[in-house]
């Protein structure tokens, strides 16, 4: 196969009706006493995906991951991996490995022994074991540290040992539980890219649990946003950010301004919402499933807003007027908190593309916030 | 703010240490006494030590004591680990409170009662008293200490390393032996040492459960003292103090070394990370 042309084909097996899901979560429910941790969940994950389970703590994402690993049994439903029902297979017989949040390195073993542990359990002969351990140490750039004990390593090095240990058996699926949670911000960002490169190199399906939306956006092929044991939305990072399907998803991923309104015009290619809260009519160039007159919400991301001291050309649509209440200068961006006439606060983020502005907007200035017809999203729930 | 000793602190410290150690020092001092009289100084001599090693009776008792302590503490570590494991891991089963209460009870049970009840048990099942009954009796109170030590170790144990082992293909049974046990080994060692010392100096329970010809060292000393304190006993006690002191000091040096080594390694890792 020609790799150059293959690279141009987007990796989107979820859009291919012929593609067979690699991991199927079918009607899975998990309860602990009265608490429903995972509620009748259905999810398909494809081979070689980097799939994120994203949600606040207590949303059931870790429980789902532990069910995939085999540490928890579903109360009902089934989990299939590569066509085989895994529901009753114990963790030590699953072709699945996990990287733990605490790394869970064996403290009494050296780095090499830690990595070799899984191969030892499978009775891999010594020469092959050594070769594969060496291979893994090279992959995670720890060749010089093989003889050290975990407590002699820094946090970042431990994280890489944990990754090597969980990859050495070449599992069909690698589960990662908040893999970068213990690292500081700079190291975390760097490690995200390393993780993506390693995933591409080894070609293993990764399922990662995280509460960090930036991390999920960076590494994932697709993200499942979870809420109270249910999936709120499954989509690519771009879709999740640009076209969230509910207020929950819109507000969980990034910052967003939401205006309540009523559908006053519905057409297949556009809708118009009259919003008393925003004090304007909103024109959106996408259709919606809601009926005329229904109550809907319009979501606009702060960076999609244009801040101006003068009224735009079409002040009747997609434009609100308010007073600058607060300014946050972040260096690359400036955040404006603008108060509308009825007291509602709207956030706008403006990229600081030049150092000096003709006239910097300052506190108590009257400003117009406007956005394009393709920038807002209509949410029905 | 002064970190040095004030007068009052110095006095308190002196009295405290005097209270603890003067009797022992007197004992050690008189073990080197030339005179047969315990409380009259007759000049320096090590002759009682020499006589001690001629005394077959005492050497035999010392041998029994060591054998008993080693056997009882080994058995205690096995049973105590099982009990501690159950208490730490199975936190909600019917009768757990009763169970844990019953494990702790021997710690506070008067020894006379433990000894008497064991004696009654051995008599009623007609088990001839000897080393076997003493091992059982010592295990019955030592294992409680081990259970407590193991349980408290397991409470702070990171369960995810056991899960990691299973995830990598080890059965729960194998995980216990290759992961859990090695990691909690220091607790088992200290439980063993604790049991060993408890067993080594036990008099009451031993007297109830030992048979003729199976006197342990403390029992021997106890009965010998009833006939008057001989300087030989002082010498013997001094040796015991020396053994215990060497053991304790060695253990703390080893621990300290391990800690220093670890800190050095961590500093190195932190430096490598910069």
């Amino acid at each position: 196969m020609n790799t150059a042309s293959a690279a141009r084909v987007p990796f989107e097996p979820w859009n291919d009706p012929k593609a067979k899901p690699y991991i199927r979560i079918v009607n899975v429910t998990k309860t602990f006493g009265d608490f429903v941790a995972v509620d009748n969940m259905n999810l398909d994950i494809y081979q070689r995906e980097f799939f994120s389970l994203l949600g606040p703590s207590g949303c059931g994402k870790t429980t789902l991951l532990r069910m995939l690993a085999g540490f928890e049994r579903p109360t009902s439903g089934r989990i299939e991996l590569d066509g085989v029902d895994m529901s009753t297979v114990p963790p030590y017989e699953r072709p699945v490995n996990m990287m733990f949040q605490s790394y869970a390195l064996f403290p009494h073993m050296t780095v090499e022994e830690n990595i070799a542990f899984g191969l030892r359990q499978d009775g891999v002969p010594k020469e092959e074991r050594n070769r594969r351990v060496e291979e893994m140490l090279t992959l995670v750039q720890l060749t010089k540290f093989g003889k050290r004990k975990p407590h002699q390593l820094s946090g970042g090095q431990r994280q890489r040992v944990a990754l090597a240990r969980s990859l050495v058996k070449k599992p069909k699926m690698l589960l990662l539980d908040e893999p970068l949670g213990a690292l500081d911000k700079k190291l975390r960002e760097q490690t995200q890219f390393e993780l993506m490169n390693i995933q591409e190199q080894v070609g293993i399906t990764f399922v990662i649990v995280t509460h960090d939306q930036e991390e999920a956006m960076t590494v994932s092929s697709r993200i499942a946003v979870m809420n109270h044991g249910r999936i709120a939305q499954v989509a690519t990072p771009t879709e999740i950010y640009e076209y969230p399907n509910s207020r929950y998803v819109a507000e969980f991923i990034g910052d967003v301004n939401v205006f309540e309104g009523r559908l006053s015009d519905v057409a297949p290619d556009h809708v118009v919402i009259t919003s008393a809260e925003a004090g304007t009519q909103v024109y959106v160039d996408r259709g919606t499933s809601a009926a005329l007159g229904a109550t809907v919400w319009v979501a606009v991301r702060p960076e999609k807003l244009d801040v101006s001291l003068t009224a735009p050309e079409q002040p009747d649509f997609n434009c609100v007027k308010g007073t600058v209440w607060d300014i946050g200068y972040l260096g690359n961006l400036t955040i404006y908190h603008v108060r509308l006439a009825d007291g509602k606060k709207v956030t706008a983020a403006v990229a600081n593309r030049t150092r000096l502005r003709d006239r910097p907007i300052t506190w108590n200035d009257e400003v117009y916030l406007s956005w394009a017809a393709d920038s807002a999203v209509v949410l029905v729930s | 703010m002064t970190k040095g000793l004030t007068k009052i602190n110095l006095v308190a410290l002196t009295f405290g240490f005097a209270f603890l150690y003067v009797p022992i020092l007197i004992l050690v001092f008189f073990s080197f006494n030339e005179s047969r009289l315990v409380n009259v100084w007759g000049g320096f001599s090590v002759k009682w030590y020499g006589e001690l090693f001629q005394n077959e009776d005492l050497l035999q008792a010392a041998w029994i004591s060591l054998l008993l302590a080693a056997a009882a503490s080994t058995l205690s570590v096995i049973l105590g680990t099982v009990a501690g494991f159950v208490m730490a891991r199975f936190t909600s089963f019917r009768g757990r409170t009763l169970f844990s209460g019953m494990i702790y009870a021997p710690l506070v049970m008067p020894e006379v009662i433990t000894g008497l009840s064991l004696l009654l048990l051995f008599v009623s099942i007609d088990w001839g008293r000897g080393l076997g009954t003493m091992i059982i009796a010592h295990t019955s109170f030592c294992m409680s200490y081990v259970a407590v030590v193991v349980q408290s170790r397991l409470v702070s144990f990171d369960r995810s390393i056991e899960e990691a082992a299973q995830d990598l293909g080890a059965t729960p049974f194998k995980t216990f032996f290759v992961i859990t046990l090695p990691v909690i080994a220091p607790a088992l060692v200290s439980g063993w040492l604790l049991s060993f010392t408890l067993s080594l100096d036990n008099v009451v329970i031993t007297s109830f459960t030992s048979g003729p010809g199976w006197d342990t060292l403390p029992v021997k000393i106890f009965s010998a003292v009833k006939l008057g304190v001989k300087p030989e006993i002082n010498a013997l006690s001094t040796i015991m103090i020396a053994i215990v002191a060497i053991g304790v000091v060695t253990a703390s040096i080893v621990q300290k070394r391990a800690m220093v080594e670890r800190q050095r390694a961590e500093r190195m890792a932190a430096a490598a990370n910069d």
Side-chain angles (χ1 to χ4, degrees), chain A residues 66 69 71 91-92 96-98 100 102 104-109 114 117-118 121-122 148 151-154 157 165-166 169, chain B residues 158 160-172 174-175 178-180 182-183 261-262 265-266 268-270 272-273:
Chain A
R66 290 176 61 81
F71 297 125
Y92 46 90
V96 170
N97 286 128
M98 179 153 165
F100 290 78
S102 62
L105 299 179
F106 307 131
H108 57 299
M109 297 183 188
N114 262 282
F117 185 85
Q121 304 314 310
D122 288 359
R148 286 216 192 167
H151 67 82
Q152 297 168 311
L153 300 176
S154 68
Q157 291 165 342
R165 190 181 65 177
S166 55
K169 289 181 79 175
Chain B
D158 179 12
S160 65
I161 70 167
E162 288 176 346
E163 289 185 340
Q166 289 190 32
D167 186 63
L168 292 165
T171 60
K174 186 164 186 194
T175 300
V178 299
I179 302 296
T180 317
V183 172
E261 175 70 16
R262 195 186 168 117
E266 276 169 6
M268 229 164 71
N273 200 27

Side-chain angles (χ1 to χ4, degrees), chain A residues 114-291:
Chain A
N114 262 282
I115 299 174
F117 185 85
L119 298 173
R120 218 178 259 275
Q121 304 314 310
D122 288 359
V124 175
K126 193 166 182 241
E127 291 78 46
E128 194 194 335
R129 206 164 65 208
N130 290 345
R131 187 180 54 73
R132 281 167 73 176
V133 168
E134 201 54 42
E135 219 174 87
M136 277 300 139
L137 285 172
T138 313
L139 182 73
V140 298
Q141 299 162 27
L142 284 176
T143 35
K144 284 189 211 137
F145 297 88
K147 299 281 185 263
R148 286 216 192 167
K149 291 274 183 73
H151 67 82
Q152 297 168 311
L153 300 176
S154 68
Q157 291 165 342
R158 282 180 213 182
Q159 189 263 352
R160 283 183 279 157
V161 176
L163 183 65
R165 190 181 65 177
S166 55
L167 279 173
V168 74
K169 289 181 79 175
K170 302 194 171 76
K172 289 189 170 175
M173 166 169 65
L174 180 70
L175 307 169
L176 304 101
D177 186 5
E178 304 269 6
L180 312 176
L183 305 179
D184 61 58
K185 194 172 186 295
K186 210 154 198 158
L187 192 57
R188 193 162 64 222
E189 283 166 4
Q190 181 192 331
T191 313
Q192 284 166 5
F193 289 100
E194 274 178 29
L195 211 54
M196 288 159 72
N197 289 337
I198 287 175
Q199 196 253 350
E200 254 166 57
Q201 277 182 54
V202 296
I204 290 170
T205 311
F206 277 31
V207 177
I208 178 176
V209 151
T210 180
H211 67 273
D212 182 342
Q213 46 118 348
E214 253 177 63
E215 185 173 304
M217 301 280 285
T218 309
V219 300
S220 314
S221 60
R222 283 192 303 158
I223 299 173
V225 181
M226 292 181 61
N227 186 23
H228 295 304
R230 290 170 171 276
I231 287 178
Q233 188 173 8
V234 185
T236 62
T238 324
E239 277 176 72
I240 291 258
Y241 188 80
E242 300 292 349
Y243 305 108
N245 65 357
S246 61
R247 274 189 297 161
Y248 174 78
V249 174
E251 280 165 7
F252 189 76
I253 308 281
D255 296 317
V256 71
N257 299 300
V258 177
F259 305 108
E260 192 179 325
R262 207 170 40 76
L263 275 174
S264 51
D265 183 13
V266 179
D269 67 335
H270 76 270
V271 292
V272 176
I273 296 108
T274 308
S275 170
E277 199 181 11
T280 184
Q281 303 228 52
V282 182
Y283 182 95
V284 181
D285 69 351
R286 264 164 76 105
T288 176
S289 57

